[in-house]
Amino acid sequence: MSDQVAAATTSEQAASRAALMKLLFFAATLAILPISSYFFTEKYVWSGNSNYAAITAICAANIVLIAYIVVSLMEDKQSFKVAEEKKLSETKKER
Amino acid sequence: MPAELCPPYAPFFGFAGVASAMIFSTVGAAFGTAKAGIGIAGLGTFKPELIMKSLVPVVMAGIIAVYGLVVSVLIAGNLTPSKGYPLAAGFIHLGAGISCGMTGIAAGYAIGLVGDSCVRAYVHEQRVFVAMILILIFAEVLGLYGLIVALLMNTRVTGLAGACD
């Protein structure tokens, strides 16, 4: 019984660490990607036209936002399946 | 004539535009983050597994600050105080900065209030999530409009290039 409890807490720890890593990744990407894409595309892609570079940076920021929404939706579906499997295994044990 | 068109205090307005774009959009983003964060803290005590999804208002408020940052960098890149800077260009840059910044305040305010109440409702009803995303997108687009106007105004400055010679 205590082994199962210990296993549950370590998997919970692993899940919370994975969530924290995901959040840190998205925070860093949102901070770094738009402004770096502005400077990079201004110099190499749009040959000095700063308005197009600004539009590129805005598109990059919105892509990060859409990626975050998609990742959070997929994680929700995964945790839903895990919760269902847990419930099934618990009802089997009770029998 | 060129001395009248390019007074020495003209860069004040240009740099004020750079500062106001960053300052005001950050005020909006801070309000949005704080207000939504209050709701997320309330949600976290009941259902911690929903926290990842409920952080979307915070990410959107962060994007408002990114809009302000991009406009600041854009305007600062076009400032030439050493090469002769027309007063008209200073006014244009000031208008661009203020338009991006103040719309950022509006968008951040809307994102904060909507994020707070929708995240609290998300505890009880899961289908609120899609409605929250839609409302937040409409609130975010307000900041995007300000950025588009700032970009449009900034393109007018290139026509003033030879005014100081």
Coordinates of all heavy atoms in Angstrom, one line a residue, chain B residues 63-158:
Chain B
I63 N 1.7 38.6 -24.8 CA 1.8 38.9 -26.2 C 1.5 40.4 -26.4 O 2.1 41.1 -27.3 CB 0.9 38.0 -27.1 CG1 1.5 36.7 -27.1 CG2 0.7 38.6 -28.5 CD1 0.8 35.7 -28.0
I64 N 0.6 41.0 -25.6 CA 0.4 42.5 -25.7 C 1.7 43.2 -25.4 O 2.0 44.2 -26.1 CB -0.7 42.9 -24.7 CG1 -2.0 42.2 -25.0 CG2 -0.8 44.4 -24.6 CD1 -2.6 42.7 -26.3
A65 N 2.5 42.7 -24.4 CA 3.8 43.4 -24.2 C 4.7 43.2 -25.3 O 5.6 44.0 -25.6 CB 4.4 42.8 -22.9
V66 N 4.7 42.0 -26.0 CA 5.5 41.8 -27.2 C 5.2 42.8 -28.3 O 6.1 43.3 -29.0 CB 5.4 40.3 -27.6 CG1 6.0 40.1 -29.0 CG2 6.0 39.4 -26.6
Y67 N 3.9 43.1 -28.4 CA 3.5 44.1 -29.4 C 4.2 45.4 -29.1 O 4.7 46.1 -30.0 CB 2.0 44.3 -29.4 CG 1.2 43.1 -30.0 CD1 -0.2 43.1 -29.8 CD2 1.7 42.1 -30.7 CE1 -1.0 42.1 -30.3 CE2 1.0 41.1 -31.2 CZ -0.4 41.1 -31.0 OH -1.2 40.1 -31.5
G68 N 4.1 45.8 -27.9 CA 4.7 47.1 -27.5 C 6.2 47.1 -27.8 O 6.8 48.0 -28.2
L69 N 6.9 45.9 -27.4 CA 8.3 45.8 -27.6 C 8.7 45.9 -29.1 O 9.6 46.6 -29.5 CB 8.8 44.5 -27.0 CG 10.3 44.2 -27.2 CD1 11.1 45.1 -26.4 CD2 10.5 42.7 -26.8
V70 N 7.9 45.2 -29.9 CA 8.2 45.3 -31.4 C 8.1 46.7 -31.9 O 8.9 47.1 -32.7 CB 7.3 44.2 -32.1 CG1 7.4 44.5 -33.6 CG2 7.8 42.8 -31.8
V71 N 7.0 47.4 -31.5 CA 6.8 48.8 -32.0 C 7.9 49.7 -31.5 O 8.5 50.5 -32.3 CB 5.4 49.3 -31.6 CG1 5.3 50.8 -31.9 CG2 4.4 48.6 -32.5
S72 N 8.4 49.5 -30.3 CA 9.5 50.3 -29.7 C 10.7 50.1 -30.5 O 11.4 51.0 -30.9 CB 9.7 49.9 -28.3 OG 8.7 50.3 -27.5
V73 N 11.1 48.8 -30.8 CA 12.3 48.5 -31.6 C 12.2 49.0 -33.0 O 13.1 49.6 -33.5 CB 12.5 47.0 -31.6 CG1 13.6 46.6 -32.5 CG2 12.8 46.5 -30.2
L74 N 11.0 48.9 -33.6 CA 10.8 49.4 -34.9 C 11.0 50.9 -35.0 O 11.7 51.4 -35.9 CB 9.3 49.1 -35.3 CG 8.9 49.6 -36.7 CD1 9.5 48.7 -37.8 CD2 7.4 49.5 -36.8
I75 N 10.4 51.7 -34.1 CA 10.5 53.1 -34.1 C 11.9 53.5 -33.8 O 12.5 54.4 -34.4 CB 9.5 53.8 -33.1 CG1 8.1 53.5 -33.5 CG2 9.7 55.3 -33.1 CD1 7.1 54.0 -32.5
A76 N 12.5 52.9 -32.8 CA 13.9 53.2 -32.4 C 14.9 53.0 -33.6 O 15.9 53.7 -33.7 CB 14.3 52.5 -31.2
G77 N 14.6 52.0 -34.4 CA 15.4 51.7 -35.5 C 15.4 52.8 -36.6 O 16.3 53.0 -37.3
N78 N 14.3 53.5 -36.6 CA 14.1 54.5 -37.7 C 14.5 55.9 -37.2 O 14.4 56.9 -37.9 CB 12.6 54.6 -38.1 CG 12.3 53.4 -39.0 OD1 13.2 52.7 -39.5 ND2 11.0 53.1 -39.1
L79 N 14.9 56.0 -35.9 CA 15.3 57.3 -35.3 C 16.7 57.7 -35.8 O 17.6 56.9 -35.6 CB 15.2 57.3 -33.8 CG 13.8 57.4 -33.2 CD1 13.9 57.2 -31.7 CD2 13.2 58.8 -33.5
T80 N 16.9 58.9 -36.3 CA 18.2 59.3 -36.7 C 18.5 60.7 -36.1 O 18.5 61.7 -36.8 CB 18.3 59.4 -38.2 OG1 17.3 60.3 -38.7 CG2 18.2 58.0 -38.8
P81 N 18.7 60.8 -34.8 CA 18.8 62.2 -34.2 C 20.1 62.9 -34.7 O 20.2 64.1 -34.6 CB 18.9 61.9 -32.7 CG 19.2 60.5 -32.6 CD 18.7 59.8 -33.8
S82 N 21.1 62.1 -35.1 CA 22.4 62.7 -35.5 C 22.4 63.2 -36.9 O 23.1 64.1 -37.3 CB 23.5 61.8 -35.3 OG 23.3 60.6 -36.0
K83 N 21.5 62.6 -37.8 CA 21.6 62.9 -39.2 C 20.6 64.0 -39.6 O 20.4 64.2 -40.8 CB 21.3 61.7 -40.0 CG 22.6 61.0 -40.5 CD 22.3 60.0 -41.6 CE 21.2 59.1 -41.3 NZ 21.1 58.1 -42.4
G84 N 19.9 64.6 -38.7 CA 18.9 65.6 -39.0 C 17.5 64.9 -39.0 O 17.2 64.0 -39.8
Y85 N 16.7 65.3 -38.0 CA 15.5 64.6 -37.7 C 14.3 65.6 -37.8 O 14.3 66.5 -37.0 CB 15.6 63.9 -36.4 CG 14.5 63.1 -35.9 CD1 14.2 61.9 -36.6 CD2 13.8 63.4 -34.8 CE1 13.1 61.1 -36.2 CE2 12.7 62.6 -34.4 CZ 12.4 61.5 -35.1 OH 11.4 60.7 -34.6
P86 N 13.5 65.5 -38.8 CA 12.4 66.5 -38.9 C 11.4 66.4 -37.8 O 11.2 65.3 -37.2 CB 11.7 66.1 -40.2 CG 12.6 65.1 -40.9 CD 13.4 64.5 -39.9
L87 N 10.8 67.5 -37.4 CA 9.9 67.6 -36.4 C 8.6 66.8 -36.7 O 8.0 66.1 -35.9 CB 9.5 69.0 -36.1 CG 8.6 69.3 -34.8 CD1 9.3 68.8 -33.6 CD2 8.2 70.7 -34.7
A88 N 8.3 66.8 -38.0 CA 7.1 65.9 -38.4 C 7.4 64.5 -38.2 O 6.5 63.7 -37.8 CB 6.9 66.2 -39.9
A89 N 8.6 64.0 -38.4 CA 8.9 62.6 -38.1 C 8.8 62.3 -36.6 O 8.3 61.3 -36.2 CB 10.3 62.3 -38.6
G90 N 9.2 63.3 -35.8 CA 9.0 63.1 -34.4 C 7.6 63.0 -34.0 O 7.2 62.1 -33.2
F91 N 6.7 63.8 -34.6 CA 5.3 63.7 -34.2 C 4.7 62.4 -34.7 O 3.9 61.7 -34.0 CB 4.5 64.8 -34.9 CG 4.8 66.2 -34.3 CD1 4.7 67.3 -35.0 CD2 5.1 66.3 -32.9 CE1 5.0 68.6 -34.4 CE2 5.3 67.5 -32.3 CZ 5.3 68.7 -33.1
I92 N 5.1 61.9 -35.9 CA 4.6 60.7 -36.4 C 5.0 59.5 -35.5 O 4.2 58.6 -35.2 CB 5.1 60.4 -37.8 CG1 4.5 61.4 -38.8 CG2 4.8 59.0 -38.3 CD1 5.1 61.3 -40.2
H93 N 6.3 59.5 -35.1 CA 6.7 58.5 -34.2 C 6.0 58.5 -32.8 O 5.7 57.5 -32.2 CB 8.3 58.6 -34.0 CG 9.0 58.1 -35.1 ND1 10.3 58.6 -35.5 CD2 8.8 57.1 -36.0 CE1 10.7 57.9 -36.5 NE2 9.8 57.0 -36.9
L94 N 5.8 59.7 -32.3 CA 5.0 59.9 -31.1 C 3.6 59.3 -31.2 O 3.1 58.5 -30.4 CB 4.9 61.3 -30.6 CG 4.2 61.6 -29.4 CD1 4.9 61.0 -28.2 CD2 4.0 63.1 -29.1
G95 N 3.0 59.6 -32.3 CA 1.6 59.1 -32.6 C 1.6 57.6 -32.7 O 0.7 56.9 -32.1
A96 N 2.6 57.0 -33.4 CA 2.7 55.6 -33.5 C 2.9 54.9 -32.1 O 2.2 53.9 -31.8 CB 3.8 55.2 -34.4
G97 N 3.8 55.5 -31.3 CA 4.0 54.9 -30.0 C 2.8 54.9 -29.1 O 2.4 54.0 -28.4
I98 N 2.1 56.1 -29.1 CA 0.9 56.2 -28.3 C -0.2 55.3 -28.7 O -0.9 54.7 -27.9 CB 0.4 57.7 -28.2 CG1 1.4 58.5 -27.4 CG2 -0.9 57.8 -27.6 CD1 1.1 60.0 -27.3
S99 N -0.4 55.2 -30.1 CA -1.5 54.3 -30.6 C -1.2 52.9 -30.2 O -2.2 52.2 -29.7 CB -1.6 54.4 -32.1 OG -0.7 53.5 -32.7
C100 N 0.0 52.4 -30.3 CA 0.3 51.0 -29.9 C 0.1 50.8 -28.4 O -0.5 49.9 -27.9 CB 1.7 50.6 -30.3 SG 2.1 48.9 -29.8
G101 N 0.6 51.8 -27.6 CA 0.6 51.7 -26.1 C -0.8 51.7 -25.5 O -1.2 50.9 -24.7
M102 N -1.6 52.7 -26.0 CA -2.9 52.8 -25.4 C -3.9 51.7 -25.7 O -4.7 51.2 -24.9 CB -3.5 54.2 -25.8 CG -2.8 55.4 -25.2 SD -3.0 55.4 -23.4 CE -2.6 57.1 -23.1
T103 N -3.8 51.2 -27.0 CA -4.6 50.0 -27.3 C -4.1 48.8 -26.6 O -4.9 47.9 -26.3 CB -4.5 49.8 -28.9 OG1 -3.2 49.7 -29.3 CG2 -5.2 50.8 -29.6
G104 N -2.8 48.8 -26.2 CA -2.3 47.7 -25.4 C -2.9 47.8 -24.0 O -3.2 46.7 -23.4
I105 N -3.1 49.0 -23.4 CA -3.8 49.1 -22.2 C -5.2 48.6 -22.3 O -5.7 47.8 -21.4 CB -3.8 50.6 -21.7 CG1 -2.5 51.0 -21.2 CG2 -4.8 50.7 -20.5 CD1 -2.4 52.4 -20.7
A106 N -5.9 49.0 -23.4 CA -7.3 48.5 -23.6 C -7.4 47.0 -23.7 O -8.2 46.3 -23.0 CB -7.9 49.1 -24.8
A107 N -6.5 46.4 -24.5 CA -6.5 45.0 -24.7 C -6.1 44.2 -23.4 O -6.8 43.2 -23.0 CB -5.5 44.6 -25.8
G108 N -5.1 44.7 -22.7 CA -4.7 44.1 -21.4 C -5.8 44.2 -20.4 O -6.0 43.2 -19.6
Y109 N -6.6 45.3 -20.3 CA -7.7 45.4 -19.4 C -8.7 44.4 -19.7 O -9.2 43.6 -18.8 CB -8.2 46.8 -19.5 CG -9.4 47.1 -18.5 CD1 -9.1 47.3 -17.2 CD2 -10.7 47.2 -19.0 CE1 -10.1 47.5 -16.3 CE2 -11.7 47.5 -18.1 CZ -11.4 47.6 -16.7 OH -12.4 47.9 -15.9
A110 N -9.1 44.2 -21.0 CA -10.1 43.3 -21.3 C -9.7 41.8 -21.0 O -10.4 41.0 -20.5 CB -10.5 43.4 -22.8
I111 N -8.4 41.5 -21.4 CA -7.9 40.2 -21.2 C -7.9 39.9 -19.7 O -8.2 38.7 -19.3 CB -6.5 40.0 -21.7 CG1 -6.5 40.0 -23.3 CG2 -5.8 38.8 -21.2 CD1 -5.2 40.0 -23.9
G112 N -7.6 40.9 -18.8 CA -7.5 40.6 -17.4 C -8.9 40.3 -16.8 O -9.1 39.2 -16.1
L113 N -9.9 41.1 -17.2 CA -11.2 40.9 -16.6 C -11.8 39.6 -17.1 O -12.4 38.8 -16.4 CB -12.1 42.0 -16.9 CG -11.8 43.4 -16.2 CD1 -12.9 44.4 -16.5 CD2 -11.6 43.2 -14.7
V114 N -11.7 39.4 -18.5 CA -12.3 38.1 -19.1 C -11.5 36.9 -18.5 O -12.2 35.9 -18.2 CB -12.2 38.2 -20.6 CG1 -12.4 36.9 -21.2 CG2 -13.1 39.2 -21.1
G115 N -10.2 37.0 -18.4 CA -9.5 35.8 -18.0 C -9.8 35.5 -16.5 O -10.0 34.3 -16.2
D116 N -10.0 36.5 -15.7 CA -10.3 36.2 -14.3 C -11.7 35.5 -14.2 O -11.8 34.4 -13.6 CB -10.3 37.5 -13.5 CG -10.6 37.4 -12.1 OD1 -10.4 36.3 -11.6 OD2 -11.1 38.3 -11.4
S117 N -12.7 36.1 -14.8 CA -14.0 35.5 -14.6 C -14.2 34.2 -15.3 O -14.8 33.3 -14.8 CB -15.1 36.5 -14.9 OG -14.8 37.0 -16.2
C118 N -13.6 34.1 -16.5 CA -13.8 32.8 -17.3 C -13.1 31.7 -16.6 O -13.5 30.5 -16.6 CB -13.3 33.0 -18.7 SG -14.5 33.8 -19.8
V119 N -11.9 32.0 -16.0 CA -11.1 30.9 -15.4 C -11.8 30.4 -14.1 O -11.8 29.2 -13.8 CB -9.7 31.4 -15.1 CG1 -9.1 30.9 -13.9 CG2 -8.8 31.2 -16.3
R120 N -12.5 31.4 -13.4 CA -13.2 30.9 -12.3 C -14.4 30.1 -12.7 O -14.8 29.1 -12.0 CB -13.7 32.1 -11.5 CG -12.7 32.8 -10.7 CD -13.3 34.0 -9.9 NE -12.3 35.0 -9.6 CZ -11.6 35.0 -8.5 NH1 -11.7 34.1 -7.6 NH2 -10.7 36.0 -8.3
A121 N -15.1 30.4 -13.8 CA -16.2 29.6 -14.3 C -15.8 28.3 -14.8 O -16.5 27.3 -14.8 CB -17.0 30.4 -15.4
Y122 N -14.5 28.2 -15.3 CA -14.0 27.0 -15.8 C -13.9 25.9 -14.8 O -13.9 24.7 -15.1 CB -12.6 27.2 -16.4 CG -12.0 26.1 -17.2 CD1 -12.7 25.4 -18.2 CD2 -10.7 25.8 -17.0 CE1 -12.1 24.4 -18.9 CE2 -10.1 24.7 -17.7 CZ -10.8 24.1 -18.6 OH -10.2 23.0 -19.3
V123 N -13.9 26.2 -13.5 CA -13.9 25.2 -12.4 C -15.2 24.4 -12.5 O -15.2 23.2 -12.3 CB -13.7 25.9 -11.1 CG1 -13.8 24.9 -10.0 CG2 -12.4 26.6 -11.0
H124 N -16.3 25.1 -12.7 CA -17.6 24.5 -12.7 C -18.0 23.9 -14.0 O -18.7 22.8 -14.0 CB -18.6 25.5 -12.2 CG -18.3 26.1 -10.9 ND1 -18.2 25.5 -9.7 CD2 -17.9 27.4 -10.6 CE1 -17.8 26.3 -8.8 NE2 -17.7 27.5 -9.3
E125 N -17.7 24.5 -15.1 CA -18.2 24.1 -16.4 C -17.0 24.1 -17.4 O -16.4 25.1 -17.7 CB -19.2 25.1 -16.9 CG -19.7 24.9 -18.3 CD -20.4 23.5 -18.5 OE1 -21.4 23.2 -17.8 OE2 -19.9 22.7 -19.3
Q126 N -16.7 22.9 -18.0 CA -15.5 22.7 -18.8 C -15.7 23.4 -20.2 O -14.7 23.7 -20.8 CB -15.3 21.2 -19.1 CG -15.0 20.4 -17.8 CD -13.5 20.4 -17.5 OE1 -12.7 20.6 -18.4 NE2 -13.1 20.1 -16.3
R127 N -17.0 23.5 -20.6 CA -17.2 24.1 -22.0 C -16.9 25.6 -22.1 O -17.0 26.1 -23.1 CB -18.5 23.7 -22.5 CG -18.7 22.2 -22.8 CD -20.1 21.8 -23.2 NE -20.9 21.8 -22.0 CZ -22.2 21.4 -22.1 NH1 -22.7 21.1 -23.2 NH2 -22.9 21.4 -21.0
V128 N -16.7 26.2 -20.9 CA -16.4 27.6 -20.9 C -15.1 27.9 -21.6 O -14.8 29.0 -22.1 CB -16.4 28.2 -19.5 CG1 -15.8 29.6 -19.4 CG2 -17.8 28.1 -18.9
F129 N -14.2 26.9 -21.7 CA -12.9 27.1 -22.3 C -12.9 27.7 -23.7 O -12.2 28.6 -24.0 CB -12.1 25.8 -22.2 CG -10.7 25.9 -22.7 CD1 -9.7 26.6 -21.9 CD2 -10.2 25.4 -23.9 CE1 -8.4 26.7 -22.3 CE2 -8.9 25.5 -24.3 CZ -8.0 26.2 -23.5
V130 N -13.7 27.1 -24.6 CA -13.7 27.5 -25.9 C -14.3 29.0 -26.0 O -13.7 29.8 -26.7 CB -14.6 26.6 -26.8 CG1 -14.8 27.1 -28.2 CG2 -14.0 25.2 -26.8
A131 N -15.3 29.3 -25.2 CA -15.8 30.6 -25.2 C -14.7 31.6 -24.7 O -14.6 32.7 -25.2 CB -17.0 30.7 -24.3
M132 N -14.0 31.2 -23.7 CA -12.9 32.0 -23.2 C -11.9 32.3 -24.2 O -11.5 33.5 -24.4 CB -12.3 31.4 -22.0 CG -11.1 32.1 -21.4 SD -10.4 31.4 -19.9 CE -9.3 30.2 -20.6
I133 N -11.5 31.3 -25.0 CA -10.5 31.5 -26.0 C -11.0 32.5 -27.1 O -10.3 33.4 -27.5 CB -10.1 30.2 -26.7 CG1 -9.5 29.3 -25.7 CG2 -9.2 30.4 -27.9 CD1 -8.1 29.7 -25.3
L134 N -12.3 32.4 -27.5 CA -12.8 33.3 -28.5 C -12.9 34.7 -28.0 O -12.5 35.6 -28.7 CB -14.2 32.8 -28.8 CG -14.3 31.6 -29.8 CD1 -15.7 31.2 -30.0 CD2 -13.7 32.0 -31.1
I135 N -13.3 34.9 -26.7 CA -13.4 36.3 -26.2 C -12.0 36.8 -26.1 O -11.8 38.0 -26.4 CB -14.1 36.3 -24.8 CG1 -15.5 35.7 -25.0 CG2 -14.2 37.7 -24.3 CD1 -16.2 35.6 -23.7
L136 N -11.0 36.0 -25.6 CA -9.7 36.5 -25.5 C -9.1 36.9 -26.8 O -8.3 37.9 -26.9 CB -8.8 35.5 -24.8 CG -9.0 35.3 -23.3 CD1 -8.2 34.2 -22.8 CD2 -8.7 36.6 -22.6
I137 N -9.4 36.2 -27.9 CA -8.8 36.5 -29.2 C -9.4 37.8 -29.6 O -8.6 38.7 -30.2 CB -9.2 35.4 -30.2 CG1 -8.3 34.2 -29.9 CG2 -9.0 35.8 -31.6 CD1 -8.7 33.0 -30.8
F138 N -10.7 38.1 -29.4 CA -11.2 39.4 -29.8 C -10.6 40.5 -29.0 O -10.3 41.6 -29.5 CB -12.8 39.4 -29.5 CG -13.5 38.8 -30.7 CD1 -14.1 37.6 -30.7 CD2 -13.7 39.6 -31.9 CE1 -14.8 37.1 -31.7 CE2 -14.4 39.1 -32.9 CZ -14.9 37.8 -32.9
A139 N -10.3 40.2 -27.7 CA -9.6 41.3 -26.9 C -8.2 41.5 -27.4 O -7.7 42.6 -27.4 CB -9.6 40.8 -25.4
E140 N -7.5 40.5 -27.7 CA -6.1 40.6 -28.2 C -6.0 41.4 -29.5 O -5.1 42.1 -29.7 CB -5.6 39.2 -28.4 CG -4.3 39.1 -29.1 CD -3.2 38.7 -28.1 OE1 -3.6 38.4 -26.9 OE2 -2.1 38.8 -28.4
V141 N -7.1 41.2 -30.4 CA -7.0 41.8 -31.7 C -7.1 43.4 -31.5 O -6.6 44.1 -32.4 CB -8.2 41.3 -32.5 CG1 -8.6 42.2 -33.6 CG2 -7.9 39.9 -33.0
L142 N -7.6 43.9 -30.4 CA -7.6 45.3 -30.1 C -6.1 45.8 -30.1 O -5.8 46.8 -30.7 CB -8.3 45.6 -28.8 CG -9.7 45.2 -28.7 CD1 -10.2 45.6 -27.3 CD2 -10.6 46.0 -29.7
G143 N -5.3 45.1 -29.4 CA -3.9 45.5 -29.4 C -3.2 45.4 -30.8 O -2.4 46.2 -31.2
L144 N -3.7 44.4 -31.6 CA -3.1 44.2 -32.9 C -3.5 45.3 -33.8 O -2.7 45.8 -34.6 CB -3.7 42.9 -33.5 CG -3.0 42.4 -34.8 CD1 -1.6 42.1 -34.6 CD2 -3.8 41.2 -35.3
Y145 N -4.7 45.9 -33.6 CA -5.1 47.0 -34.4 C -4.2 48.2 -34.2 O -3.8 48.9 -35.1 CB -6.6 47.4 -34.1 CG -7.6 46.4 -34.5 CD1 -8.9 46.4 -34.0 CD2 -7.4 45.5 -35.5 CE1 -9.8 45.5 -34.3 CE2 -8.3 44.6 -35.9 CZ -9.6 44.6 -35.3 OH -10.5 43.7 -35.7
G146 N -3.9 48.5 -32.9 CA -3.0 49.6 -32.5 C -1.6 49.4 -33.2 O -1.0 50.3 -33.6
L147 N -1.2 48.1 -33.2 CA 0.1 47.9 -33.8 C 0.1 48.1 -35.3 O 1.0 48.7 -35.9 CB 0.5 46.4 -33.5 CG 1.8 46.0 -34.1 CD1 2.7 45.4 -33.1 CD2 1.6 45.0 -35.2
I148 N -1.0 47.7 -36.0 CA -1.1 47.9 -37.4 C -1.1 49.4 -37.7 O -0.4 49.9 -38.7 CB -2.4 47.3 -38.0 CG1 -2.2 45.8 -37.9 CG2 -2.7 47.7 -39.4 CD1 -3.5 45.0 -38.2
V149 N -1.8 50.2 -36.9 CA -1.8 51.7 -37.1 C -0.4 52.3 -36.9 O 0.0 53.1 -37.6 CB -2.9 52.3 -36.2 CG1 -2.7 53.8 -36.2 CG2 -4.3 52.0 -36.7
A150 N 0.2 51.7 -35.9 CA 1.6 52.2 -35.6 C 2.5 51.9 -36.8 O 3.3 52.7 -37.2 CB 2.1 51.6 -34.3
L151 N 2.4 50.7 -37.4 CA 3.2 50.4 -38.5 C 2.9 51.3 -39.7 O 3.8 51.7 -40.4 CB 2.9 48.9 -38.9 CG 3.6 47.8 -38.1 CD1 3.2 46.5 -38.6 CD2 5.1 48.0 -38.1
L152 N 1.6 51.5 -39.9 CA 1.2 52.4 -41.0 C 1.8 53.8 -40.9 O 2.3 54.4 -41.8 CB -0.3 52.5 -41.1 CG -1.1 51.4 -41.8 CD1 -2.6 51.5 -41.6 CD2 -0.7 51.4 -43.3
M153 N 1.7 54.3 -39.6 CA 2.2 55.7 -39.4 C 3.7 55.7 -39.6 O 4.3 56.6 -40.2 CB 1.9 56.1 -38.0 CG 0.4 56.4 -37.8 SD 0.0 56.7 -36.1 CE 0.2 58.4 -36.0
N154 N 4.4 54.6 -39.2 CA 5.8 54.6 -39.3 C 6.3 54.6 -40.8 O 7.4 55.1 -41.1 CB 6.4 53.3 -38.6 CG 7.9 53.4 -38.4 OD1 8.4 54.4 -38.1 ND2 8.5 52.3 -38.8
T155 N 5.5 54.0 -41.7 CA 5.9 54.0 -43.1 C 5.9 55.4 -43.7 O 6.5 55.6 -44.7 CB 4.9 53.1 -43.9 OG1 3.6 53.6 -43.8 CG2 5.0 51.7 -43.5
R156 N 5.2 56.4 -43.1 CA 5.2 57.7 -43.6 C 6.5 58.5 -43.4 O 6.7 59.5 -44.0 CB 4.0 58.5 -42.9 CG 2.7 58.1 -43.2 CD 2.3 58.5 -44.6 NE 0.9 58.1 -44.9 CZ 0.6 57.8 -46.1 NH1 1.4 57.9 -47.1 NH2 -0.7 57.5 -46.3
V157 N 7.3 58.0 -42.5 CA 8.5 58.7 -42.1 C 9.5 58.7 -43.2 O 10.3 59.6 -43.4 CB 9.0 58.1 -40.8 CG1 10.3 58.8 -40.4 CG2 8.0 58.4 -39.7
T158 N 9.5 57.6 -44.0 CA 10.5 57.5 -45.0 C 10.4 58.6 -46.1 O 11.4 59.0 -46.7 CB 10.4 56.1 -45.7 OG1 9.1 55.9 -46.1 CG2 10.8 55.0 -44.7

